[in-house]
Amino acid sequence: MATLMHSLLLSSIYFTLSCSATSDNGGFTLDLLHRDPPSGEARFRSVRSAINRSFSRKSSLLSKISRTKINSIDATITGAGGEYVMKFLIGTPPVEQLGIADTGSDLLWTQCLPCTQCYKQDSPLFNPSKSRSYRPVSCDSQQCQDAGTPFCDEGNSCQYQVSYGDRSHTAGDVATETLSFGGKIAFPKVVFGCGHDNDGTFSQTGSGIVGLGGGSASIVKQLRSTTGGRFSYCLTLLNANVSSKISFGSNAVVAGPDVVSTPLVKKSPDTFYYLTLEGISVGEKRTELASSKAGFRPAAEEGNIIIDSGTTLTFVPQEIYQGVEAALDEAIMGEKVTDPQGTFGLCYRVSGGQGIESSPVTVHFKGADLVVEAVSLFVEVEEGISCLTLVASQDLAIYGNLFQMNYHIGYDLVKGQVSFQKTDCATLE
């Protein structure tokens, strides 16, 4: 019943995906490798930075849902930390690039020469003039329309422009290129954004975005003939010191007697993966999303939460949060303190690596009950202060990546479902 809450070094998480396995049946698996986190005061600054980006990201995601007519592609990113960076090869001959793997956006884009403005990145910038397979996309093509909400230049070439909630931006040409993973699997004529004007809070570790969303421009959709519209990932705990995994195609099937699945709900925009949240339990105390004074509990609204790999925290409706906070407050025997920056509603004093003991927390999706890892529930935001990573939201609900750790999570766009298998991701082959 009692669980140990460890300090989570959120914004120091970096993952590089490199091809580690392929198969002959259209599936492939890649490693997610994380770097060493900062220590001392730097780790707490990193935590706060990642937390702030979670709120900025939520605002950006919400603006995409509420906006009915826009004149630019609207995507989302995290900043320097809490991100998953996917290694891929682009062009002929292939050039290695690193893009943030993001289920909250569609278009893959990378920085390109010549640069009107480019932020500093560790790897060489992609030079389309040196690639034999680079082809600009015309404005009247279906590929241009699939890129989101593009616009045309004077030469009828398809252009894109992406703006972010933190005033970061990218703009450039929509084109097709050969995309490969580890030099073993090559996909020709993949639509991507070749960014010539990019600036803001981007990390120099990455060169752009790899969109894993549900829209037409996503590589999940573009590679569907090979992958069957399936991908999965398994995020290890932060102290695991081993790689995580992301898989596509036949390698991405999540199966077994202990697997639970919940329907994907089709809503606009189709980029996001909408699930149906019914409630959250602390031990035996369950807080429902919908209730009735007459005692009849109507079904929760379909598609009331999105699952997102790029958001650190988990955001839920106020009525859910209040019930969970009250139940945890009753279950946890510890000294309550106030978050000095006023971000979190439930915080406790910790010392000397001491954890927080609590009843287990279970998230109830339609058809799938998920027990949240103890290390996912609380984060040490300042030395000696640990806070609940569940946050109340008045608008958009998001199931963030901390709550997803140590679950093998499979997305199947053909069956229209997301499957979860509780596992030790450090041991996943």
Side-chain angles (χ1 to χ4, degrees), residues 133-391:
S133 49
Y134 178 87
R135 298 291 184 275
V137 168
S138 65
C139 261
D140 55 1
S141 68
Q142 185 61 47
Q143 292 171 319
C144 184
Q145 299 306 312
D146 288 344
T149 52
F151 58 96
C152 304
D153 65 6
E154 295 180 355
N156 198 39
S157 293
C158 188
Q159 305 287 296
Y160 81 96
Q161 180 177 333
V162 183
S163 298
Y164 302 96
D166 61 358
R167 298 185 180 180
S168 299
H169 69 270
T170 176
D173 302 313
V174 178
T176 63
E177 254 298 4
T178 297
L179 182 70
S180 61
F181 301 94
K184 299 179 180 179
I185 306 172
F187 302 95
K189 299 180 181 179
V190 174
V191 177
F192 82 110
C194 197
H196 301 291
D197 182 356
N198 325 284
D199 197 19
T201 60
F202 300 105
S203 166
Q204 67 184 56
T205 305
S207 56
I209 297 285
V210 178
L212 299 174
S216 299
S218 166
I219 64 167
V220 178
K221 285 292 186 70
Q222 290 197 64
L223 309 183
R224 187 167 176 168
S225 61
T226 298
T227 66
R230 295 187 299 267
F231 72 98
S232 69
Y233 54 76
C234 199
L235 306 179
T236 61
L237 299 181
L238 303 186
N239 58 357
N241 293 321
V242 297
S243 62
S244 301
K245 300 288 182 181
I246 185 168
S247 301
F248 295 84
S250 58
N251 288 16
V253 176
V254 179
D258 55 345
V259 171
V260 293
S261 300
T262 188
L264 277 170
V265 180
K266 292 185 178 181
K267 295 179 69 174
S268 180
D270 58 5
T271 298
F272 301 145
Y273 296 112
Y274 295 90
L275 309 180
T276 301
L277 175 67
E278 296 181 338
I280 299 179
S281 295
V282 178
E284 299 299 320
K285 294 187 176 182
R286 175 164 170 160
T287 301
E288 303 287 355
L289 186 60
S291 60
S292 171
K293 293 181 180 179
F296 172 71
R297 182 174 63 85
E301 178 189 355
E302 296 289 316
N304 55 22
I305 190 170
I306 66 172
I307 180 171
D308 182 40
S309 67
T311 302
T312 303
L313 303 176
T314 291
F315 296 86
V316 295
Q318 183 72 30
E319 61 185 292
I320 288 283
Y321 177 81
Q322 289 176 339
V324 173
E325 181 187 284
L328 285 171
D329 186 23
E330 182 179 339
I332 295 173
M333 303 300 294
E335 178 189 352
K336 287 180 64 176
V337 294
T338 301
D339 175 15
Q341 296 192 21
T343 301
F344 297 101
L346 187 64
C347 301
Y348 292 90
R349 180 81 61 191
V350 294
S351 62
Q354 178 185 3
I356 298 175
E357 295 185 350
S358 170
S359 301
V361 172
T362 304
V363 178
H364 305 285
F365 291 111
K366 183 177 182 180
D369 295 339
L370 308 180
V371 178
V372 179
E373 279 284 326
V375 295
S376 300
L377 288 173
F378 283 83
V379 54
E380 193 173 0
V381 298
E382 294 186 17
E383 187 171 4
I385 298 178
S386 187
C387 298
L388 178 66
T389 61
L390 190 74
V391 180

